[in-house]
Amino acid sequence: MTDDNKHLMDEEHQYFAKGSRIKYFDIVIESGQGAILTDADGNQYIDLLSSASSTNTGHSHPKVVKEIQEQASKLIQYTPAYFANEPEVKLAKRLAEIAPIDGPAKVTWGNSGSDANDAIIKYARAYTGRQYIVSFTGAYHGSTYGSITTSGVSLNMTRKIGPLLPGVVKVPFPSPWYRHAGESEDAFIDRMFEAFKLPFDTYLPADETALIEIEAIQGDGGFAKVPERYLNQVAEFAHANGILLAVDEVNQGMGRTGKMWSIDHFPEVTPDLIAVGKSIASGLPLSAVVGRKEVIDALDAPGNVYTTAGNPVTTAAANATLDVIEEEHLVQRSHDLGLVAEKYFQSLAKQFDFIGDVRLYGLNGGIDIVDPKTGKADGLAATKLIYRIFELGALMITVRGNILRFQPPLVITEDELTSGLEIIKHAMEDLKNGKIKESAALKGIGW
Ligand SMILES: Cc1ncc(COP(=O)(O)O)c(C=O)c1O
């Protein structure tokens, strides 16, 4: 057993910004294949996080690796800001064709989900000639100034860095934990839609509002799916008032939810713009905004150019990623294995009273850990669980402090999935039996 994890972490600690890592476990990831990771000391883990949903095709998928290698030996970079490259041309067409946009669509490139969501603000303002932007509490849209402003999931995304982008208004996301005890689904939706409308009724002129952006299924916000009637009403309101609707698919797109796009779960809603990132290039830095042709045509160069965005290697990786998703039926696989996992978690919920809720959408979801006496969020218990899961050989993190984040690569084998689920069960038994003690290692873990 080597001590490389510790040595590398100690060295990094001296030089690496604390604002750039949410602390979980002190390991250095050395390699990955499919759903299996190996750390610098040679320990192996079943990956239940997929690098924050950015490796849906698994780690170093052979087809993706081959395309990257071949493209890298031909041309690594020529900036699409000045000249096209073939993989990028091919990918733009493919994305425009598969995006859930009505009518002709066009594509623009970025390097991260964050700048894609900034671009969405630019395009919406340019097309509508209006300034105000509406987003939701609990959202994670990114870390650039625009996208951190539209986000609403952590005080540290506002603290110390203001003023944020002007003209952004937040409305409450209808997360299940905001539903009152005994409140019907319909009454909840009506109440949340009233809250959505309140700004428009009091100080926010709808005719000066450019954009409403939403994660149809919030990821970091706790794996919360917006109720269908609520989103239908929001979309109708947007349409009636000439406001564009954007859906952030960065976390929940690319087959993650058991459908290609999270918005495919809402047949009555068609967005004007979507943001895609993370898994689009199996983890290479590429993002895209796909939007209605006339919206994307509203902005003139260089209104949205980045030197490396859409570069030949990242777009070749993205073309290979789309091939893998198709050839290996990963959307269906996400759906099918998601049902297997959901059944397992539901059976755990019967055995362990600290499981407050299970929400799975494909191979993707959140398991709420609560204090059984009060039903309230229990962050310490959730931290103990993920730490024990880590010790037992699987990587899982939390969101919102108390929600287990379950997002394995979509290529995970059934055996690996079973082993991962059994590890979670084992950890839950240990928690129930009081076997997981508080320790220094748990300090400071999580969002
Ligand atoms: C829904 C969503 N949008 C945008 C982003 C930002 O993407 P990136 O970190 O690649 O900038 C994330 C990242 O977690 C996300 O989950």
Side-chain angles (χ1 to χ4, degrees), residues 123-125 127-132 200 205-212 234-245 272 292 295:
Y123 282 98
R125 285 180 169 168
Y127 177 72
T128 60
R130 305 172 177 187
Q131 63 161 311
Y132 292 112
F200 293 104
D207 60 359
E208 291 184 24
T209 303
L211 173 74
I212 297 168
V234 168
E236 258 173 50
F237 178 86
H239 190 69
N241 289 284
I243 301 170
L244 299 184
L245 180 71
D272 300 292
R292 276 171 41 213
V295 176

Side-chain angles (χ1 to χ4, degrees), residues 51-54 111-117 139-144 147 151 213-215 217-221 247-253 275-279 285-287 405 407 447:
S51 179
S53 194
S54 66
N111 295 298
S112 70
S114 303
D115 67 33
N117 285 316
Y140 189 97
H141 293 305
S143 201
T144 48
S147 60
S151 298
E213 178 161 39
I214 193 164
E215 286 169 84
I217 300 174
Q218 281 192 343
D220 292 313
V247 177
D248 182 346
E249 295 280 356
V250 171
N251 186 318
Q252 297 284 296
V276 191
K278 289 194 189 265
S279 277
L286 176 69
S287 66
R405 173 178 185 164
Q407 294 192 301
W447 279 69

Side-chain angles (χ1 to χ4, degrees), residues 37 54 68 71 94 98 118 146 192 246 269 306 367 396 442:
L37 294 168
S54 66
I68 291 171
Q71 183 56 48
R94 283 178 93 172
I98 63 169
D118 278 14
M192 296 310 284
V269 178
Y306 307 90
I367 297 96
M396 185 176 223
L442 303 185

Side-chain angles (χ1 to χ4, degrees), residues 48-230:
L48 301 179
L49 176 60
S50 301
S51 179
S53 194
S54 66
T55 56
N56 287 2
T57 57
H59 298 285
S60 297
H61 190 289
K63 179 156 189 161
V64 178
V65 170
K66 184 166 169 279
E67 291 296 323
I68 291 171
Q69 285 172 336
E70 283 178 6
Q71 183 56 48
S73 63
K74 237 198 284 179
L75 178 71
I76 291 179
Q77 157 71 350
Y78 210 97
T79 178
Y82 293 123
F83 303 108
N85 66 76
E86 198 180 330
E88 172 261 325
V89 171
K90 191 171 155 197
L91 182 65
K93 179 168 189 280
R94 283 178 93 172
L95 274 180
E97 283 173 359
I98 63 169
I101 305 280
D102 253 359
K106 280 192 166 183
V107 177
T108 180
W109 306 121
N111 295 298
S112 70
S114 303
D115 67 33
N117 285 316
D118 278 14
I120 278 183
I121 297 172
K122 295 181 201 171
Y123 282 98
R125 285 180 169 168
Y127 177 72
T128 60
R130 305 172 177 187
Q131 63 161 311
Y132 292 112
I133 306 294
V134 173
S135 64
F136 290 80
T137 57
Y140 189 97
H141 293 305
S143 201
T144 48
Y145 257 105
S147 60
I148 211 165
T149 306
T150 50
S151 298
V153 71
S154 162
L155 292 176
N156 284 350
M157 294 172 77
T158 306
R159 247 183 208 131
K160 303 180 185 178
I161 60 172
L164 300 182
L165 189 73
V168 174
V169 171
K170 302 267 173 49
V171 290
F173 187 85
S175 312
W177 41 89
Y178 295 137
R179 189 161 155 188
H180 296 153
E183 189 176 34
S184 71
E185 164 100 355
D186 271 342
F188 175 57
I189 291 172
D190 290 344
R191 183 166 61 79
M192 296 310 284
F193 190 64
E194 281 300 306
F196 166 83
K197 286 265 300 305
L198 187 61
F200 293 104
D201 292 339
T202 48
Y203 65 92
L204 178 63
D207 60 359
E208 291 184 24
T209 303
L211 173 74
I212 297 168
E213 178 161 39
I214 193 164
E215 286 169 84
I217 300 174
Q218 281 192 343
D220 292 313
F223 297 90
K225 183 178 176 196
V226 61
E228 188 170 342
R229 181 164 69 82
Y230 176 91

Side-chain angles (χ1 to χ4, degrees), residues 5 27 29 35-39 43-47 389-395:
N5 279 329
I27 53 168
I29 309 289
I36 303 298
L37 294 168
T38 305
D39 73 15
N43 303 305
Q44 291 205 319
Y45 308 89
I46 299 168
D47 185 7
I389 289 165
F390 161 67
E391 288 178 330
L392 292 167
L395 275 196

